[in-house]
Amino acid sequence: MGDVERGFTENDAGLLVRHVAPDAVIVNALGAVLRGRAAVEAATRAGLSRGPLSTATAHYRLSDIALVAPDVAVAHKSAWSTVEDADRGAPPEMNAHYVFVRREGRWWILRRQNTLVADARS
C-alpha cells in the first residue's frame, strides 16, 4: 500500500500502478471500470495531472486482509487525506477492496473497487 499512497500523494502514476497486474480490473472512485494496467495508468495519469486530485494527498490504512487461497488474498483499505485525519478518528473518505494474486513469487493487484464515503465528504 505504501507505493500506492506515495504515488497518489506525489502524482506519480507509474508508482501508483507498479503493483497492478497487466490483466487487472479496477473500478475507480467515480465508478469507471478500467481493464488492464495500461488503462489504469492512463486514467491515473490523467486524474493526477489536473483538477482536485493534482494537489490532493492520501493516507491509507489496511484494516483487513485474508488469505482465501494459497495465492489469493483479499484486503480492505481505508483512506483519508492526511495522517492527522486518520489519527483523530475522522471517518475514512474512501474505502477500497482489493484482490491480490501471487504469480511467479510476486503479489499483484488483480482487482480493486474504490468507494467514496458520502458522509466524510459532506
Side-chain angles (χ1 to χ4, degrees):
M1 297 292 161
D3 285 344
V4 175
E5 179 178 318
R6 205 169 99 232
F8 182 87
T9 297
E10 296 175 5
N11 290 352
D12 184 337
L15 180 59
L16 201 149
V17 303
R18 174 181 284 169
H19 305 288
V20 172
D23 57 338
V25 177
I26 304 293
V27 180
N28 71 18
L30 299 175
V33 178
L34 307 168
R35 296 184 182 280
R37 182 176 42 222
V40 174
E41 185 168 1
T44 300
R45 193 171 306 285
L48 292 177
S49 68
R50 62 187 186 294
L53 295 183
S54 66
T55 58
T57 60
H59 174 68
Y60 302 139
R61 293 198 178 160
L62 188 63
S63 58
D64 187 57
I65 190 162
L67 193 63
V68 296
D71 293 322
V72 180
V74 294
H76 177 265
K77 170 187 86 177
S78 297
W80 297 262
S81 293
T82 66
V83 172
E84 294 77 20
D85 288 342
D87 286 347
R88 71 177 171 77
E93 297 166 44
M94 187 186 73
N95 289 302
H97 186 77
Y98 284 76
V99 176
F100 295 96
V101 62
R102 183 170 34 200
R103 294 179 177 158
E104 299 175 6
R106 177 177 179 192
W107 287 96
W108 293 96
I109 300 166
L110 185 63
R111 299 288 189 269
R112 185 179 73 215
Q113 167 80 46
N114 292 326
T115 304
L116 293 172
V117 178
D119 292 343
R121 296 180 296 142
S122 55

